Amino acid sequence: MKNEGNTDKRPDNTAFTQQRLPAWQPVLSAGIVIPGFLLIGLAFIGIGIGLFLTSQTIQVQEMDYTGVEKDSPCFRCTRLSNQNCTCDVPFSLSTLFKGPVFFYYGLSNYYQNFRRYGVSKDYNQLTGDTRYFKSPESDCDPYSKDSKQNYIVPCGALANSLFNDTFELYQIINGTKKQVPLDGRGISWWTDYNIKYRNPSLVNGSLAKAFDGTVKPINWPRPAYELDLTDPNNNGFLNQDFLVWMRRAALPQFRKLYRRITEGDYAAGLPAGDYSLTVNYNYPVLDFDGRKTVVLSNVSWMGGKNNFLGIAYLVVGSLCVVMSVVMLVVYAKFKFSDDEA
Amino acid sequence: MTWTNPLTLLRQGWTRHWNPERPVRTVVSNLPFEDLKKREQPNRQYEGNAIKTNKYRLWSFIPMNLFEQFHRMANIYFVGLAILNFVPVVNAFQPEVALIPICIILALTAVKDGWEDFRRYQTDQQLNNTPCFIFSRKQMCFVERRWKDVRVGDFVRVLSNEIIPADILLLHTSDPNGVCHMETSNLDGETSLKQRKVVPGFSTLGEPFQPHTFDSTVVCENPNNNLNLFKGYVERPDKRRTGFGIDSLLLRGCMVRNTDDAAGIVVYTGHETKSMLNNSGPRYKRSKIERKMNTDVLFCVVLLFFMCLIGALGHAIWLESFPSIPSYIVPDSNGNYTPSVLSGFYMFFTMIILLQVMIPVSLYVSIELVKMGQIFFITQDVELYDEELDRRVQCRALNITEDLGQIQYVFSDKTGTLTENKMVFRRCSIMGTEYCHEENAARLAVINGANEEEEVTIYQQTKLPSLFPLEELQDIHTGDENQANAQVTAANQRRSREAAGAQSDMAFSSPLETVVVPDRKLMLEVDREMASIQTGPYLDFFLALAVCNTVLLSSVTAQRQRVKGRRSSSYSGGSFHNMRQWFRKCGLGKVFTSMRFFKRRGETLRDPFSIDEDESDGFHSSDVSDATGQKDISSERKVKSGLSGSEEMCYEAHSPDEAALIHAAKAYGFTMVERTPHYVTVKLPDGALLKFEVLDILTFDSTRRRMSIIVRHPHTKEIIMYTKGADSAIMERLGNVFTDMSQVYSEAKQTAVKTQRDLDMYARNGLRTLCFAKKVISEQEFRAWSALRQEALSAIDEKEERLMETANFIESSFTLLGATGIEDRLQESVPETIQALRRAGMQVWVLTGDKPETAINIAYSCKLLEHEDLVFTFSTNRKSVFKMRVEDTLGELRRSTLSPGADPQFRGYSSAFTGPLMEPSIGLVIDGSTLSMAMSDELVEQFVELCKHCRAVLCCRVTPLQKSAVVKLIRQKLRVMTLAVGDGANDVNMIQAADVGIGVSGQEGMQAVMASDFAITRFKHLQRLLLVHGHWCYSRLANMVIYFFYKNVAYVNLLFWYQFFCGFSATAMIDYWLMIFFNLFFTSAPPIMFGIMEKEVSDSTLLSLPELYKRGQHSEGYRRSTFWIAILDAFYQSLVCFFIPYWTYNGSDIGIFAFGTPMNTVSLFTIILHLAIEIKSWTVVHWVIMIGSVLVYFIVTLAYSAICISCNPPSDPYWIMHKQMADPMFYLVCILTTVVALLPRYTLHVLRGTLAPSPHLRARQLERLSPSHREQRIREWRGLRDTCISPSPSA
């Protein structure tokens, strides 16, 4: 029909094209949001209390062993350039330190997140690809070759600066030292150990042979394949301490998991008493005003001790409650004046 | 404002052989040289007809496209960053990865460009290979070739309904009169036929065309893009010259109509044709928001600079702070440590790379998308669809939608924009006697009433009986007797709408315009004169009406057939002629008995300035039933059916005035039955045919304001010039009526005085006036003049001036015949629209070419001026007088401003400063000559200041150039956003000068539409276009732009804060891919949707409260302060988003990217929820996109960190997200951070909504009320405002 032909260009009269889709139109006004504020406030206060209480149950024992002060036990180790300096740091626990206890080492003013430092590694080497042992990424420079032009494996600043203090923990029972067994298994990410990092395939059953023709990083006391002389499975790129180190810390003040205390008499925790920490002091931190600490901590569902989040929740929650009261006042006043008008 | 691609310019410069020394182009026939090699061809320097609009070739696509793309600043920025990243000392990311964004953008754009170019190539090929006929000397006939083979100098033949392949100088047509009709709808959208005539002397009429005998030289202008101007001459070997103009040029792209074949010589080909030169592509305008936004982008650059500077300084200081170099500071590859200062310097650039998102490059892409969406919704609006014309609103400029929401000044044309431009003959005055045509007025009143009735029935969809007797008449005419006898109901309504739809196509032939009921007294007078002497002023008057025009006749059937589907009805012209015949037969008295008569239906007469005050009461006695009327009609029809067959003709007039006049002449029996370039045949009332020989036509132009036709009377052989024109243009040239006091002239003088009085009366009643005059020219005088005229015609230099001179020479010493008054009815809802625009704070100016009296009348009736307004009228020829008056007025205004209430006369104005919502109610009327004085340098400042005070300004008798000058003046001096709306060619300048040009596609062709940014069909659509769509587009885009700035700053600042904890080493704690995705996928869709679909206030509320528009006018949606508040909020939110996770995780064993994950998530939530606070209405689409974006984030991030074991060192995202999501702390951090980040903004919104709601908020609250309640509140609101405007003196 002609009549229909006449309206060819008539737009579709649908809710969408005519912008008439049914819509929810929230109007923000004091009256409407008061319950919302109150609810959020109360919920936050609840969460805050929970977090705070949980945080309070977590025990933390932190000991700075940098040795800056003259009377500190490790002071002498900072003085000398001598290797294999050990020092004993005594401490005592007044109550039972509930287990499992996590043993961390902490560094401050240490910028693992420095960009050039972070990229200074060759990922292909770390997946065990021996082809890259002799042709590392340029990012590794100048830590890809030693002064004799031998290739360093693993290359790069990140690996070279591996934290190499070691610790032994003793409980002093009646003047005798009883070693607390430290468990170093599974302290790195499961995915790092099982998926991301790979050792080169053994040559003639020997990991050392796989590293043939390469040298250890300059700062390392031993080559990669001899990192853990006690456990052959904890060597090469799959050394737990190495993996923990390679996962860079986000902030310049950080701690990294060193060991866990899960075994023997200490599976339930560290009983009250005197302890002594023997530190094999190697790692230099004073040239950048760094601090080294050892942290003993037990963990809860929220991780380590952290009062901030609980307090923050409490503050924000109360703020919301206060706000809802303010809103109520505003609403009442507004309502009142509105009625008057 | 047009944007030209530099490449095309280059190409044009390369290929076109401009020769500045030769301002003309000489073309000779190619035929004698047909066998010669190309470089010996005489026309070799001209381009071929093949066109190539595609930019690229296959082999050069990639380099060319890249070159083009690098013209964009944004891309250069991207590439600069990518290159920077390849410099080892400054790189922030892996160089290859940094290339990704630029590659994606370049590739997408290249694909888009390539596709578009390919499409262009295809259409070019299609065009180039279209067949056409070129004359070949070898075969001595026209042979079929392709368009691309056409060269300048070829002879081309075009058959009927074929498209013309190049610009051809018409030398031959099959038409015996040497004319050829051409439809230019491809060029300008006008569907009316244009007549072209052959250059005389090259082919004998009726004989086959013989191009090989053509031995003359064609000299014409160099190619230009003026479609209406073309001049040149043909020089024969004997140096005789024949001039020609645009009326001999067939334009490429047009279609030959009603002519079997036409042939001519090609003068312009390919890209040099007028149509191609006119084809400049879409217009590029930059909107106000975009201009503002660009400065804000500069602020972002400054901000970025400072942030990078902080980074650089921080890095240097940080490096200096160490006593010795720690192990984590890596030396360069040679083992040397870079000095701190140098490292800092490098770091500056690295920071630029890291923080690059600070410059919202994606904003530009998003804005394009948003505008596409906005345009989609505007064109989809069914309220802006015109059913009669089957036309939607057109958005021709793609990137200024939001300017519609910021208009402060509206400049409107009157005729055709405010009015229908459907001219209705109302009155005439012949030899000083006025004939008021009261019967005709009565008829119009009936039509008015019927129209109203019809509208009601359409909307109610009920089956009311039709009250439109004319429609019933049509039904009878279409031959369906049964249908006529049946009580026509719904079908009839449909038909009537159909008929209305046909109005536009059938040029000016609605019943309203075509049917004129003759004045009884005048009819008698004419009959008397006809019977007795066969000459006399009455006959002359009507002959002038019938002859002095450019109306073309086309047979109705022929016209209809060629038109596509939508031109449907064929029963307009003829049927009404029939009806007129019938009217005459059955006598005038009887006519009105058969019509249902609705005089003054209620108070809603559509025609407030109608002149029927003195209508006699006799017309109310129309009690005869419809049935009787119909019987009469059908019986009469049978009698007249024999006659009607020969009259199936319709008039195609270029202006509606002419159509109205020729129909008026027809009503009195003077029917123009044929028009050729050489003859006009008029049928007299007694049936005799008068065949006038046309000697010359002096066409209408806006400076002379008149047109003349010089004819030879067939009987007396006298040479007579009939002239019609504006009253001033005629009256001042009436011989020496006013000076010569001799007896002979006193009668003429009296006539002139009387006529002038009538003219003034017409003008007061809002009618358009035209004067008719005649002059008898002696044979000798004419011959002398004709020679001059020919010379002028063939001139190339100063052709216009010389033509004008000759015209002015002959057009003098007229004898006045009479005058006509034509009514131009206001379009529907014009007063309401103007009132709404004014309420919305816009100043409305009307610029018209009409007389001041007419214009003022219209201004009152369309509520531009109101009766309580104080109106200043400036109309003087003396500058000093004008200057004095302007100064006086200004002084008065200033005084009243200083002492409010002192002068009661100015109360309305002065109170504008006591209340915030008040406007001055001062009107200004100024005429053209005064306006030109006002715009002279010394007065312009005062004039502008005066205009600022005026609520409405009416400029009369202004030329098109003045129109644009006024718009430019106001736009530049007051720095306001201007909108110009017009419908005709005379508005084109104005439309182009304004910030936003709106074309009304109406009766006067499409030139205004072609020049416009938006095209509407009715003036009333302006209300919805501005108040609803303009407002929406503005607030949507403003909010989106602000949001985009916020979003980028908020996100990028996370990285910045982290720099303080990583030694300013440009470490990112978020994976680079995720950062790209974050901008590309996770947070891009919501703001785009927001920019397209946000609806704060519904359209109905916006229309009922035009005051809401003021927000856009004052740019409240997007101010500098808004920008800085958004930036501050972004800083606050980023601080929260960074430091809450920071304090939570500080000192713990968290890794870099495990630390970044909650931050990324938190920013996503913050950014999305920030938008959620801003979104005022949530539709399904909103929910889907908002929730979808969050889901996409989690899905993509989880998938990415599950797949990517080692793909993007050093971040190595493997399993990080999973590990984080298994940790309850992650959620606790996310919840707390999001709440803290958004709390201030949310609270502020709430408090503002409660304590100080903006008008928009109040309007939103109104929407929640029930309809009746809402009505009341709206009325209260408005009432409050109205009382503010005119407070009582006691209060």
Side-chain angles (χ1 to χ4, degrees), chain B residues 754-814:
Chain B
K754 276 186 187 161
T755 310
Q756 187 61 55
R757 205 184 51 213
D758 291 335
L759 283 171
D760 293 344
M761 190 261 284
Y762 291 169
R764 273 200 305 282
N765 287 320
L767 299 182
R768 292 162 72 90
T769 54
L770 275 178
C771 277
F772 284 83
K774 156 189 176 176
K775 179 187 183 184
V776 180
I777 306 169
S778 70
E779 197 73 41
Q780 205 179 350
E781 192 186 347
F782 176 74
R783 215 168 289 152
W785 178 80
S786 190
L788 278 175
R789 180 79 178 170
Q790 282 308 317
E791 202 178 297
L793 274 174
S794 52
I796 281 215
D797 304 324
E798 296 180 334
K799 183 173 175 175
E800 276 78 47
E801 290 82 350
R802 293 178 66 175
L803 283 176
M804 183 79 74
E805 252 171 56
T806 55
N808 277 336
F809 176 75
I810 196 80
E811 287 173 333
S812 60
S813 313
F814 295 124

Side-chain angles (χ1 to χ4, degrees), chain B residues 43-63:
Chain B
N43 298 321
R44 63 184 172 277
Q45 75 267 37
Y46 305 126
E47 256 187 286
N49 197 36
I51 53 161
K52 183 175 158 296
T53 52
N54 52 323
K55 284 188 234 167
Y56 314 113
R57 291 172 194 283
L58 208 56
W59 52 268
S60 65
F61 173 71
I62 289 177

Side-chain angles (χ1 to χ4, degrees), chain B residues 96-261:
Chain B
E96 300 80 19
V97 182
L99 281 177
I100 291 162
I102 180 68
C103 286
I104 289 175
I105 285 182
L106 287 181
L108 283 180
T109 321
V111 167
K112 192 198 86 191
D113 288 352
W115 173 247
E116 282 176 359
D117 209 52
F118 181 66
R119 295 275 297 274
R120 275 197 293 268
Y121 171 77
Q122 277 184 321
T123 42
D124 286 353
Q125 285 302 306
Q126 211 182 336
L127 270 184
N128 287 340
N129 288 319
T130 313
C132 65
F133 293 98
I134 304 177
F135 193 84
S136 150
R137 194 177 63 157
K138 275 196 207 112
Q139 285 142 18
M140 286 307 265
C141 66
F142 285 95
V143 294
E144 186 172 318
R145 290 277 158 78
R146 305 276 155 194
W147 275 30
K148 59 184 175 193
D149 304 322
V150 175
R151 289 169 305 157
V152 173
D154 278 348
F155 290 88
V156 170
R157 183 165 74 168
V158 192
L159 302 179
S160 180
N161 294 345
E162 275 188 358
I163 296 174
I164 301 161
D167 286 357
I168 298 168
L169 187 66
L170 187 63
L171 296 175
H172 171 85
T173 85
S174 62
D175 187 276
N177 298 313
V179 296
C180 164
H181 294 271
M182 174 173 93
E183 190 185 282
T184 56
S185 59
N186 287 349
L187 236 58
D188 54 13
E190 291 181 40
T191 48
S192 65
L193 296 186
K194 307 269 188 322
Q195 183 174 299
R196 295 297 198 235
K197 59 185 188 197
V198 298
V199 180
F202 293 99
S203 71
T204 334
L205 296 179
E207 277 179 27
F209 182 42
Q210 294 176 318
H212 51 277
T213 58
F214 186 89
D215 51 1
S216 312
T217 309
V218 178
V219 178
C220 57
E221 320 165 281
N222 269 326
N224 61 48
N225 64 354
N226 192 334
L227 283 174
N228 298 316
L229 207 67
F230 173 68
K231 53 193 180 183
Y233 57 85
V234 179
E235 190 172 281
R236 292 171 207 236
D238 56 3
K239 300 281 174 208
R240 265 191 306 135
R241 289 179 173 187
T242 316
F244 53 77
I246 189 72
D247 56 355
S248 296
L249 190 70
L250 297 181
L251 299 172
R252 179 190 164 114
C254 298
M255 203 177 264
V256 171
R257 295 288 194 200
N258 293 359
T259 314
D260 288 337
D261 72 277

Side-chain angles (χ1 to χ4, degrees), chain B residues 78 245 303 317 356 395 558 561 595 640 894 1274:
Chain B
F78 263 139
L303 210 59
I317 293 167
Q356 54 177 289
C395 298
Q561 277 164 1
M595 285 187 167
K640 296 303 289 183
R894 286 202 196 101
I1274 287 177

Side-chain angles (χ1 to χ4, degrees), chain B residues 33 44 141 242 266 624 709 776 787 864 870 882 930 973 1009 1021 1044 1061 1277:
Chain B
F33 311 97
R44 63 184 172 277
C141 66
T242 316
V266 174
V624 186
I709 184 165
V776 180
L864 181 71
L870 185 68
F882 176 66
T930 320
K973 291 278 174 188
V1009 170
H1021 288 164
F1044 239 95
F1061 304 96
W1277 189 337

Side-chain angles (χ1 to χ4, degrees), chain A residues 3 6 9-11 16 18-19 24-26 30 109 113 115 123 196 248 250 255 287 306 313 334, chain B residues 91 324 328 380 382 390 392 494 566 1036 1058 1061 1065 1067 1095 1144 1149 1178 1206 1228 1250 1260 1264:
Chain A
N3 197 27
N6 259 351
K9 290 186 184 157
R10 187 192 182 87
F16 175 69
Q18 299 309 312
Q19 310 189 49
W24 173 59
Q25 300 196 319
N109 210 18
N113 56 18
R115 192 176 52 82
Y123 185 78
K196 267 176 82 171
R248 292 182 294 142
R255 63 191 185 202
D287 47 2
N306 187 344
Y313 262 101
F334 172 76
Chain B
N91 68 348
S324 65
Y328 47 79
Q380 284 292 325
V382 85
D390 186 29
R392 300 178 184 183
R494 176 172 56 74
R566 63 194 182 90
R1036 285 169 182 176
Y1058 188 58
F1061 304 96
S1065 64
T1067 307
K1095 200 161 93 178
T1144 307
D1149 58 345
W1178 290 74
S1206 64
L1228 290 173
T1250 313
R1260 272 164 59 72
R1264 300 172 78 90

